[in-house]
Amino acid sequence: QKEVEQNSGPLSVPEGAIASLNCTYSDRGSQSFFWYRQYSGKSPELIMSIYSNGDKEDGRFTAQLNKASQYVSLLIRDSQPSDSATYLCAVNIHQTGANNLFFGTGTRLTVIP
Amino acid sequence: DVKVTQSSRYLVKRTGEKVFLECVQDMDHENMFWYRQDPGLGLRLIYFSYDVKMKEKGDIPEGYSVSREKKERFSLILESASTNQTSMYLCASSSTRLSTDTQYFGPGTRLTVL
């Protein structure tokens, strides 16, 4: 069964703090993991991808992957009000002819000035 | 930059109407996808296509059909719109069938069926 689970939130953090977003998945065959950010009324945009166990850093964002625990997380350092959005975790699944993504329902983050 | 465009941002239709949602990508991507997004349910895959004239059902294909006559264009068709198809519809594309490929989304079409 394909499942990607996220805490729906809302998660509120003060400006300048670290926001920690978590995601678990059920398909042990998954190989690729993505974090998308979605502002209200807008479409998702990719912010991070990770394929290997460990950490991957890009500016203020760090993605962490633990395949043994089937867990992926996103840390946002020095959170800014502009980071307030819904963050979607996506995991690849292999279906006929393509590698598709299965999305969690998202975690809503609010950064309080 | 990858660009995925959708024909309408907002659409209002009546129950029973045939509805066409168009999606065009300009990056020669092989794969195209149609999702719907509803509060509390997240993004759900309706149909996808990995080649011209090829289509595969996603998780919720009932009440929908698709057409891909050209590589850059993927159309979603609601044969007879119903109120439970009121939703945000998102088109996406990706370059190849590799698991590492990113999906790029269009701006979305918010469809209301009255």
Side-chain angles (χ1 to χ4, degrees):
Chain A
Q1 184 176 355
K2 306 164 293 195
E3 273 192 7
V4 176
E5 295 192 6
Q6 297 180 253
N7 187 328
S8 61
L11 173 66
S12 294
V13 299
E15 185 174 353
I18 296 175
S20 177
L21 306 165
N22 304 315
C23 173
T24 59
Y25 61 95
S26 61
D27 185 358
R28 286 197 170 273
S30 295
Q31 299 173 346
S32 303
F33 308 86
F34 304 86
W35 283 100
Y36 285 82
R37 178 176 61 200
Q38 186 174 24
Y39 291 114
S40 180
K42 302 292 186 182
S43 60
E45 57 177 333
L46 180 76
I47 51 173
M48 289 285 287
S49 59
I50 186 167
Y51 313 114
S52 303
N53 279 328
D55 295 359
K56 179 182 177 183
E57 189 174 316
D58 184 0
R60 296 186 296 111
F61 298 96
T62 299
Q64 299 174 317
L65 174 61
N66 184 327
K67 291 185 180 180
S69 301
Q70 295 175 246
Y71 177 92
V72 58
S73 65
L74 179 70
L75 299 178
I76 306 174
R77 290 183 302 281
D78 188 25
S79 295
Q80 300 297 309
S82 59
D83 295 326
S84 297
T86 296
Y87 290 80
L88 304 175
C89 173
V91 176
N92 91 285
I93 54 169
H94 189 78
Q95 291 179 305
T96 306
N99 273 287
N100 293 340
L101 294 181
F102 198 82
F103 288 82
T105 54
T107 298
R108 186 156 58 92
L109 172 67
T110 300
V111 180
I112 303 166
Chain B
D1 271 357
V2 175
K3 192 165 185 185
V4 181
T5 57
Q6 295 183 229
S7 49
S8 306
R9 289 301 309 275
Y10 301 94
L11 209 53
V12 179
K13 296 292 182 181
R14 296 209 173 271
T15 301
E17 282 193 78
K18 191 169 186 176
V19 182
F20 293 87
L21 302 181
E22 303 282 337
C23 176
V24 177
Q25 50 92 5
D26 66 355
M27 288 302 292
D28 201 35
H29 282 179
E30 290 185 13
N31 305 320
M32 298 187 75
F33 308 83
W34 274 107
Y35 296 90
R36 62 178 283 177
Q37 187 174 31
D38 301 287
L41 296 177
L43 278 159
R44 293 180 292 167
L45 182 64
I46 304 171
Y47 267 97
F48 63 99
S49 167
Y50 53 91
D51 203 350
V52 175
K53 298 192 185 293
M54 302 300 289
K55 57 186 179 183
E56 293 289 341
K57 293 179 180 179
D59 297 316
I60 52 163
E62 297 79 17
Y64 303 94
S65 62
V66 290
S67 172
R68 194 170 180 198
E69 296 296 318
K70 293 185 178 181
K71 190 174 185 179
E72 68 271 18
R73 187 180 297 269
F74 192 35
S75 301
L76 180 69
I77 303 154
L78 287 66
E79 295 288 344
S80 177
S82 62
T83 55
N84 63 11
Q85 292 178 310
T86 292
S87 186
M88 169 70 92
Y89 289 88
L90 290 160
C91 175
S93 71
S94 67
S95 179
T96 70
R97 301 181 199 177
L98 294 175
S99 66
T100 53
D101 273 352
T102 301
Q103 287 189 19
Y104 296 93
F105 285 86
T109 296
R110 185 164 294 282
L111 172 67
T112 302
V113 182
L114 302 175

PDB file of all heavy atoms in Angstrom, chain B residues 83-94:
ATOM      1  N   THR B  83     -20.880  17.742  -9.449  1.00  0.00           N
ATOM      2  CA  THR B  83     -20.467  18.668  -8.387  1.00  0.00           C
ATOM      3  C   THR B  83     -19.283  18.134  -7.587  1.00  0.00           C
ATOM      4  O   THR B  83     -18.465  18.914  -7.085  1.00  0.00           O
ATOM      5  CB  THR B  83     -21.636  18.965  -7.437  1.00  0.00           C
ATOM      6  OG1 THR B  83     -22.164  17.739  -6.933  1.00  0.00           O
ATOM      7  CG2 THR B  83     -22.747  19.738  -8.160  1.00  0.00           C
ATOM      8  N   ASN B  84     -19.149  16.813  -7.495  1.00  0.00           N
ATOM      9  CA  ASN B  84     -18.016  16.269  -6.736  1.00  0.00           C
ATOM     10  C   ASN B  84     -16.688  16.350  -7.503  1.00  0.00           C
ATOM     11  O   ASN B  84     -15.650  15.910  -7.001  1.00  0.00           O
ATOM     12  CB  ASN B  84     -18.289  14.841  -6.263  1.00  0.00           C
ATOM     13  CG  ASN B  84     -18.468  13.852  -7.400  1.00  0.00           C
ATOM     14  OD1 ASN B  84     -18.192  14.168  -8.551  1.00  0.00           O
ATOM     15  ND2 ASN B  84     -18.941  12.669  -7.080  1.00  0.00           N
ATOM     16  N   GLN B  85     -16.741  16.911  -8.694  1.00  0.00           N
ATOM     17  CA  GLN B  85     -15.513  17.170  -9.439  1.00  0.00           C
ATOM     18  C   GLN B  85     -15.046  18.613  -9.278  1.00  0.00           C
ATOM     19  O   GLN B  85     -14.067  19.022  -9.912  1.00  0.00           O
ATOM     20  CB  GLN B  85     -15.693  16.811 -10.916  1.00  0.00           C
ATOM     21  CG  GLN B  85     -15.862  15.316 -11.115  1.00  0.00           C
ATOM     22  CD  GLN B  85     -16.087  14.925 -12.556  1.00  0.00           C
ATOM     23  OE1 GLN B  85     -16.960  15.501 -13.234  1.00  0.00           O
ATOM     24  NE2 GLN B  85     -15.327  13.960 -13.041  1.00  0.00           N
ATOM     25  N   THR B  86     -15.734  19.360  -8.448  1.00  0.00           N
ATOM     26  CA  THR B  86     -15.250  20.683  -8.071  1.00  0.00           C
ATOM     27  C   THR B  86     -13.949  20.517  -7.312  1.00  0.00           C
ATOM     28  O   THR B  86     -13.899  19.821  -6.298  1.00  0.00           O
ATOM     29  CB  THR B  86     -16.286  21.407  -7.195  1.00  0.00           C
ATOM     30  OG1 THR B  86     -17.437  21.718  -7.986  1.00  0.00           O
ATOM     31  CG2 THR B  86     -15.714  22.677  -6.599  1.00  0.00           C
ATOM     32  N   SER B  87     -12.888  21.137  -7.828  1.00  0.00           N
ATOM     33  CA  SER B  87     -11.565  20.908  -7.249  1.00  0.00           C
ATOM     34  C   SER B  87     -10.548  21.816  -7.915  1.00  0.00           C
ATOM     35  O   SER B  87     -10.834  22.512  -8.887  1.00  0.00           O
ATOM     36  CB  SER B  87     -11.158  19.437  -7.454  1.00  0.00           C
ATOM     37  OG  SER B  87      -9.951  19.134  -6.789  1.00  0.00           O
ATOM     38  N   MET B  88      -9.314  21.764  -7.392  1.00  0.00           N
ATOM     39  CA  MET B  88      -8.162  22.361  -8.067  1.00  0.00           C
ATOM     40  C   MET B  88      -7.507  21.268  -8.889  1.00  0.00           C
ATOM     41  O   MET B  88      -7.175  20.197  -8.354  1.00  0.00           O
ATOM     42  CB  MET B  88      -7.170  22.921  -7.051  1.00  0.00           C
ATOM     43  CG  MET B  88      -5.837  23.324  -7.648  1.00  0.00           C
ATOM     44  SD  MET B  88      -5.957  24.790  -8.681  1.00  0.00           S
ATOM     45  CE  MET B  88      -5.592  26.044  -7.458  1.00  0.00           C
ATOM     46  N   TYR B  89      -7.313  21.534 -10.183  1.00  0.00           N
ATOM     47  CA  TYR B  89      -6.688  20.560 -11.071  1.00  0.00           C
ATOM     48  C   TYR B  89      -5.286  21.046 -11.450  1.00  0.00           C
ATOM     49  O   TYR B  89      -5.109  22.178 -11.907  1.00  0.00           O
ATOM     50  CB  TYR B  89      -7.535  20.343 -12.322  1.00  0.00           C
ATOM     51  CG  TYR B  89      -8.795  19.584 -12.000  1.00  0.00           C
ATOM     52  CD1 TYR B  89      -9.947  20.250 -11.598  1.00  0.00           C
ATOM     53  CD2 TYR B  89      -8.829  18.194 -12.065  1.00  0.00           C
ATOM     54  CE1 TYR B  89     -11.099  19.552 -11.264  1.00  0.00           C
ATOM     55  CE2 TYR B  89      -9.970  17.489 -11.737  1.00  0.00           C
ATOM     56  CZ  TYR B  89     -11.103  18.171 -11.336  1.00  0.00           C
ATOM     57  OH  TYR B  89     -12.232  17.471 -11.000  1.00  0.00           O
ATOM     58  N   LEU B  90      -4.334  20.182 -11.230  1.00  0.00           N
ATOM     59  CA  LEU B  90      -2.931  20.510 -11.479  1.00  0.00           C
ATOM     60  C   LEU B  90      -2.346  19.574 -12.511  1.00  0.00           C
ATOM     61  O   LEU B  90      -2.472  18.354 -12.404  1.00  0.00           O
ATOM     62  CB  LEU B  90      -2.133  20.411 -10.184  1.00  0.00           C
ATOM     63  CG  LEU B  90      -2.432  21.486  -9.141  1.00  0.00           C
ATOM     64  CD1 LEU B  90      -1.995  21.039  -7.766  1.00  0.00           C
ATOM     65  CD2 LEU B  90      -1.750  22.790  -9.508  1.00  0.00           C
ATOM     66  N   CYS B  91      -1.689  20.166 -13.489  1.00  0.00           N
ATOM     67  CA  CYS B  91      -0.955  19.415 -14.492  1.00  0.00           C
ATOM     68  C   CYS B  91       0.529  19.461 -14.140  1.00  0.00           C
ATOM     69  O   CYS B  91       1.011  20.476 -13.592  1.00  0.00           O
ATOM     70  CB  CYS B  91      -1.205  20.030 -15.862  1.00  0.00           C
ATOM     71  SG  CYS B  91      -0.250  19.299 -17.205  1.00  0.00           S
ATOM     72  N   ALA B  92       1.246  18.398 -14.428  1.00  0.00           N
ATOM     73  CA  ALA B  92       2.687  18.374 -14.182  1.00  0.00           C
ATOM     74  C   ALA B  92       3.371  17.626 -15.318  1.00  0.00           C
ATOM     75  O   ALA B  92       2.741  16.851 -16.042  1.00  0.00           O
ATOM     76  CB  ALA B  92       3.001  17.707 -12.844  1.00  0.00           C
ATOM     77  N   SER B  93       4.665  17.870 -15.460  1.00  0.00           N
ATOM     78  CA  SER B  93       5.442  17.122 -16.441  1.00  0.00           C
ATOM     79  C   SER B  93       6.796  16.778 -15.853  1.00  0.00           C
ATOM     80  O   SER B  93       7.284  17.444 -14.933  1.00  0.00           O
ATOM     81  CB  SER B  93       5.608  17.921 -17.743  1.00  0.00           C
ATOM     82  OG  SER B  93       6.493  19.011 -17.560  1.00  0.00           O
ATOM     83  N   SER B  94       7.399  15.724 -16.379  1.00  0.00           N
ATOM     84  CA  SER B  94       8.759  15.359 -16.000  1.00  0.00           C
ATOM     85  C   SER B  94       9.490  14.843 -17.227  1.00  0.00           C
ATOM     86  O   SER B  94       8.880  14.349 -18.171  1.00  0.00           O
ATOM     87  CB  SER B  94       8.782  14.324 -14.868  1.00  0.00           C
ATOM     88  OG  SER B  94       8.257  13.085 -15.299  1.00  0.00           O
TER      89      SER B  94
END
